[in-house]
Amino acid sequence: PMSTAPILQTGSHLARRGPAQLPRRSSLEPLAYLISGRSRQAPELEADMIRAIQQAYYLKARNPSDHSVLIDLASGLGSDVTRFSEDLNAAETRADLDGQIAFCRKLGVAGFPSLVLGHWERGYDRLRIDYRDPNTILKQIEATMSRVN
C-alpha cells in the first residue's frame, strides 16, 4: 500500500525567497541534452543525474539550462567533463532529443511533468497527476489495467 503521508508542494519553499534568488525559468532542451550525454557515458548513473538536476533547481535555485551548471553537476558525479561537454553539443545528442520530442508529441504530451502508462494492447494512456492524492494516479492505473486484462 502507498503511504498517505502529506505530499509537499513542489517548489513551495521557493516562494519564500526574494526575486533575486529565484531560478529563472529553464528550458528543457539543455536538460535533455544533459541526460542524453550523461547516459552515453554511464547509463547506470542516469537516475543520479536526474536527482542532481532536481536538487540543483529546486533546492539550490541553480538553473540547469546553463551549460556551466550542467557541466558542474556532471563533474560532481564523476563524469569526464571534456567528454560530457562534447556530448552535450553533439549532433547525436540533438538527434536523440528530436526523437524524444517527436515521441512525446505523438503521445499528446505537451508539458512537464507528465505521466504516461504504456501497455502492449492499447498503446499509451496519459494519466492525470494529482500531487496531493496519490490514489488519483493509482485508480487510473488500476482502471487501465482492468480494461487491458
Side-chain angles (χ1 to χ4, degrees):
M2 180 167 270
S3 169
T4 57
I7 298 173
L8 296 176
Q9 292 182 7
T10 303
S12 62
H13 68 285
L14 295 177
R16 293 186 294 274
R17 296 180 182 195
Q21 293 176 311
L22 289 174
R24 72 179 189 284
R25 186 173 176 87
S26 65
S27 163
L28 292 180
E29 187 170 297
L31 296 178
Y33 280 133
L34 168 71
I35 293 166
S36 181
R38 180 67 191 148
S39 296
R40 279 200 290 279
Q41 283 192 44
E44 69 279 4
L45 294 178
E46 183 175 355
D48 292 336
M49 182 56 93
I50 293 169
R51 189 175 306 107
I53 292 168
Q54 291 172 335
Q55 289 175 349
Y57 186 76
Y58 290 112
L59 301 178
K60 299 177 183 174
R62 296 180 73 194
N63 193 329
S65 290
D66 294 336
H67 281 208
S68 62
V69 171
L70 300 178
I71 292 167
D72 185 50
L73 295 174
S75 175
L77 292 174
S79 287
D80 174 335
V81 175
T82 302
R83 181 173 172 207
F84 179 82
S85 296
E86 291 169 358
D87 286 347
L88 195 60
N89 296 301
E92 181 182 348
T93 303
R94 180 69 212 189
D96 288 348
L97 175 62
D98 290 342
Q100 291 172 21
I101 291 170
F103 183 64
C104 288
R105 287 183 179 148
K106 178 181 173 184
L107 296 176
V109 172
F112 178 81
S114 295
L115 185 59
V116 177
L117 178 63
H119 39 92
W120 295 109
E121 291 83 13
R122 295 198 43 210
Y124 299 92
D125 285 322
R126 285 181 305 175
L127 304 179
R128 187 173 59 81
I129 298 172
D130 182 345
Y131 295 104
R132 296 174 189 232
D133 183 7
N135 290 315
T136 300
I137 293 172
L138 292 173
K139 288 176 185 174
Q140 292 175 80
I141 292 170
E142 289 169 359
T144 299
M145 298 310 294
S146 68
R147 285 193 311 267
V148 172
N149 295 330

